[in-house]
Structures are given as structure tokens and as C-alpha cells.
């Protein structure tokens, strides 16, 4: 049995649950409970606030956890970052009132900066030799300058919309973050084994993200041209059809290229094109 800590509610909860489900670990939606057991894998799920996940994993209360890299960096706990998960992408940035001129990090010298990430910001400023006053606040950091609590902020940015609507502009992108799988450093062999099975499953799910499975009928003498259009995984699978002179071509394509590929394939005579969801890619 291995125990994973995930965010109880918030931005990472849904994607974390979805990843586990796609990896064959079904969890009854009983979020009122702190701890639940998954079906299909010897896994227990512990629901916590994201701030508490690095410590829970470092202390062994949970063996592994899914949390933003920003929280791992801020809490500075001794945990292993095992795998990047590709969701919850954001950055930690410095932002100042939009009417201010900005000519580099020196702007922050002697200024007051509001943040929920004093650890990361303190390290960044001391690396760059900036002396500033860091004001730690728990939430609504973006309103601090307009109410006179601070000159600038250091906060999570994703689209940047929140900054704009608070009259701020992003002037320094300090660190990039995404959800990661973290682990306790002292896992038993049995737990390590389960962990590597989990990561194997996650990778199969990740490889299929944004990919589609496409099949079509094609005149045999057009296969070479089709191969040039379709990079595929290695090379496309070509199967004979009962009707002479025709074959069936199967290939995996990136979803963002799908329509361009379909148009090119129709031009060389492809017919009856089917596009299917791709769930898992095992290597
Ligand atoms: O209750 P709990 O403590 O568990 O949750 P929380 O409120 O502390 O965190 P939550 O759920 O808001 O975020 C969890 C994690 O999601 C963060 O630690 C990041 O790793 C990640 N993440 C990704 C984000 C964002 N994107 C994001 N945009 N976390 C917060 N935001 C905020 C941002 O600060 C801004 O205020 O969302 C707002 C919208 O951002 P813009 O730039 O798109 O306008
Ligand atoms: Zn939090």
C-alpha cells in the first residue's frame, strides 16, 4: 500500500483526480473524508491543503504527493521531485503599479513587496543583492499596492488578467511552476515498486494527451505520399483492404495538426477518415 496526498479542493484537485482515474486508480468521490482507498491499485488518498503537502511527504505522513513546484520551493522541505505532471502551469512574478517606470531589479531596492512566497522571494533577492522589505500576506496579494500596504507584489501569474485588473504590470518572471509528484526520501522497496508502476501509468497517459488516432482508406499508390504527411509514432500501419488497389492507413497525430493533415490527406485521395480518442500509449 502506498499513500498519496493531493489537494482537497482548489486548482490542482480536479487534474490530480483525473490523472489517477486515467491511470486506473478509481477514487470514490468522498471528499468529506480525509483518507480514502482507491480501487484498482493499492493506493490510499489523503486530502490536504496544498500548503501542507510538502511537509506531510517529508514527514512520511504521506509517501508521495501532488503539489505545485512553487509550494515545494517555498516550504523548502527535504522531498524528492519525482515527476513533472504538466498541469497547474504558472509562474511566480514581480509586479509593480502600471504607471511606474521600470529599469531593472534595482527598482526594488528599499521597497516594500507583498507576497505569500517570502522564502522564494527572499532567496531571489539575496542572490541578486537587492535589499527590500518583504511583507508576508496570506491572500489577495494583488490588492496590496492599491490599498497602500506595499509598493509591489510577488505572486502567482497564469494569464496575467488578475494583474491587469488590479492596475499592475509584470516586470520580472522569477520561477516557473507546474504540478509535480513528490516523494519521501525513505520509501521501502515495496513502496518504490508501486511508485514506479504509478509513474509508468502516468507516462502512458501523458504520451496520449493531445493525440488522436486516425484511420483512413487510401489508394495503394498514394501510401508513400501519405507517409510524408504523417510522421506517426514510428511509421504508419498500412493494412490491405478487400478491394484491390486500396489500403487502410492507421496513424497517431497531434490534435493541433489534425485538420491540416486531414486536408492534405483528402487531397491525395484519402476517404472514410475516422478520428478516435487515444487513451494510453504504452512503450
Ligand atoms: O486551499 P489550498 O491552500 O489547498 O489552495 P490555495 O488557495 O492555496 O491554492 P490554489 O488552489 O489557488 O492553487 C493551487 C496551485 O495551483 C498553486 O500553488 C499553483 O501551483 C497552481 N496555479 C496555477 C495557480 C494558478 N495557476 C493561478 N493562476 N495558483 C493560483 N493562481 C491565481 C493567481 O495568483 C491569480 O490570483 O489565480 C489568479 C488568476 O491568475 P491569472 O494570472 O490567470 O489572472
Ligand atoms: Zn494553499
Amino acid at each position: 500500500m502506498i499513500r498519496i496526498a493531493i489537494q482537497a479542493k482548489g486548482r490542482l484537485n480536479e487534474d490530480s483526480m483525473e490523472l489517477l482515474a486515467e491511470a486506473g486508480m478509481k477514487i470514490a468521490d468522498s471528499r468529506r473524508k480525509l483518507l480514502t482507498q482507491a480501487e484498482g491499485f493499492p493506493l490510499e488518498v489523503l486530502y490536504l491543503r496544498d500548503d501542507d503537502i510538502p511537509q506531510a511527504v517529508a514527514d512520511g505522513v504521506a509517501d508521495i504527493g501532488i503539489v505545485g513546484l512553487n509550494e515545494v520551493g517555498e516550504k523548502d522541505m527535504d522531498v524528492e521531485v519525482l515527476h513533472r505532471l504538466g498541469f497547474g502551469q504558472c509562474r511566480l512574478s514581480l509586479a509593480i503599479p502600471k504607471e511606474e517606470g521600470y529599469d531593472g531589479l534595482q527598482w526594488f531596492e528599499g521597497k516594500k513587496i507583498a507576497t505569500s512566497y517570502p522564502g522564494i522571494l527572499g532567496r531571489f533577492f539575496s542572490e541578486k543583492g537587492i535589499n527590500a522589505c518583504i511583507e508576508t500576506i496570506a491572500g489577495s496579494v494583488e490588492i496590496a499596492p492599491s490599498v497602500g500596504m506595499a509598493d509591489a507584489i510577488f505572486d502567482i501569474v497564469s494569464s496575467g488578467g488578475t494583474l491587469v485588473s488590479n492596475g499592475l504590470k509584470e516586470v520580472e518572471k522569477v520561477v516557473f511552476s507546474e504540478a509535480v509528484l513528490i516523494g519521501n526520501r525513505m520509501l521501502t522497496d515495496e513502496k518504490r515498486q508501486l511508485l514506479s508502476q504509478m509513474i509508468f501509468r502516468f507516462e502512458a497517459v501523458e504520451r496520449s494527451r493531445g493525440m488522436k488516432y486516425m484511420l483512413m482508406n487510401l489508394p495503394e499508390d498514394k501510401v508513400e505520399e501519405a507517409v510524408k504527411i504523417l510522421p506517426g509514432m514510428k511509421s504508419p500501419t498500412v493494412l490491405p483492404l478487400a478491394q484491390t488497389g486500396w489500403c487502410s492507413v492507421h496513424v497517431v497525430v497531434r490534435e493541433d495538426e489534425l485538420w491540416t493533415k486531414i486536408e492534405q490527406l483528402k487531397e491525395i485521395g484519402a476517404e472514410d477518415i475516422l478520428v478516435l480518442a487515444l487513451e494510453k500509449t504504452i512503450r
Side-chain angles (χ1 to χ4, degrees), residues 7-13 48-52 67-71 87-91 117 138 142 155-163 165 177-179:
Q7 195 188 21
K9 50 180 195 301
R11 279 164 209 274
L12 302 182
N13 171 270
L48 295 178
R49 284 200 56 185
D50 67 345
D51 315 56
D52 298 331
V67 69
L69 204 48
N70 52 310
E71 289 298 330
F87 57 86
Q89 281 158 336
C90 57
R91 53 196 187 266
Y117 295 91
E142 64 280 357
D155 201 10
I156 295 178
V157 181
S158 161
S159 67
T162 303
L163 293 184
S165 58
S177 177
E178 66 183 294

Side-chain angles (χ1 to χ4, degrees), residues 114-148:
T115 186
S116 309
Y117 295 91
I120 296 174
L121 183 59
R123 268 178 272 143
F124 175 71
F125 276 160
S126 72
E127 245 169 55
K128 302 286 180 190
I130 303 286
N131 285 302
C133 170
I134 299 174
E135 183 81 18
T136 306
I137 54 175
S140 306
V141 171
E142 64 280 357
I143 63 162
S146 64
V147 299

Side-chain angles (χ1 to χ4, degrees), residues 87-283:
F87 57 86
Q89 281 158 336
C90 57
R91 53 196 187 266
L92 278 168
S93 295
L94 282 159
I96 66 173
K98 67 171 191 297
E99 58 282 359
E100 291 276 338
Y102 184 75
D103 52 4
L105 274 178
Q106 279 307 316
W107 187 94
F108 292 96
E109 189 67 35
K111 295 275 187 359
K112 198 182 210 186
I113 298 105
T115 186
S116 309
Y117 295 91
I120 296 174
L121 183 59
R123 268 178 272 143
F124 175 71
F125 276 160
S126 72
E127 245 169 55
K128 302 286 180 190
I130 303 286
N131 285 302
C133 170
I134 299 174
E135 183 81 18
T136 306
I137 54 175
S140 306
V141 171
E142 64 280 357
I143 63 162
S146 64
V147 299
M149 274 174 71
D151 303 303
I153 66 162
F154 177 63
D155 201 10
I156 295 178
V157 181
S158 161
S159 67
T162 303
L163 293 184
V164 172
S165 58
N166 284 281
L168 299 168
K169 63 180 175 190
E170 185 177 13
V171 292
E172 300 283 343
K173 297 175 185 173
V174 175
V175 274
F176 286 84
S177 177
E178 66 183 294
V180 289
L181 183 70
I182 56 170
N184 181 279
R185 289 195 184 274
M186 314 280 279
L187 294 183
T188 60
D189 288 349
E190 183 218 356
K191 286 178 177 178
R192 290 230 167 249
Q193 174 91 28
L194 290 172
L195 177 61
S196 69
Q197 284 175 25
M198 281 179 84
I199 293 177
F200 178 85
R201 292 185 185 196
F202 290 168
E203 283 172 346
V205 173
E206 283 154 13
R207 269 195 291 270
S208 304
R209 284 218 180 107
M211 304 299 269
K212 294 284 171 194
Y213 190 79
M214 184 157 76
L215 44 157
M216 75 212 75
N217 294 339
L218 193 73
E220 265 167 3
D221 59 353
K222 298 288 182 187
V223 169
E224 233 168 88
E225 275 175 71
V227 170
K228 284 190 199 128
I229 298 170
L230 302 163
M233 290 203 278
K234 279 198 182 106
S235 61
T237 305
V238 181
L239 302 170
L241 285 183
Q243 193 181 347
T244 47
W246 283 77
C247 61
S248 169
V249 176
H250 299 213
V251 74
V252 173
V253 284
R254 290 204 352 235
E255 195 169 7
D256 57 0
E257 293 181 343
L258 189 67
W259 290 107
T260 338
K261 299 291 177 199
I262 288 175
E263 280 146 22
Q264 291 170 331
L265 290 161
K266 276 176 69 73
E267 243 165 64
I268 63 163
E271 289 180 5
D272 301 324
I273 302 174
L274 297 183
V275 180
L276 309 176
L278 186 71
E279 273 199 19
K280 279 139 197 124
T281 308
I282 317 291
R283 289 215 171 119

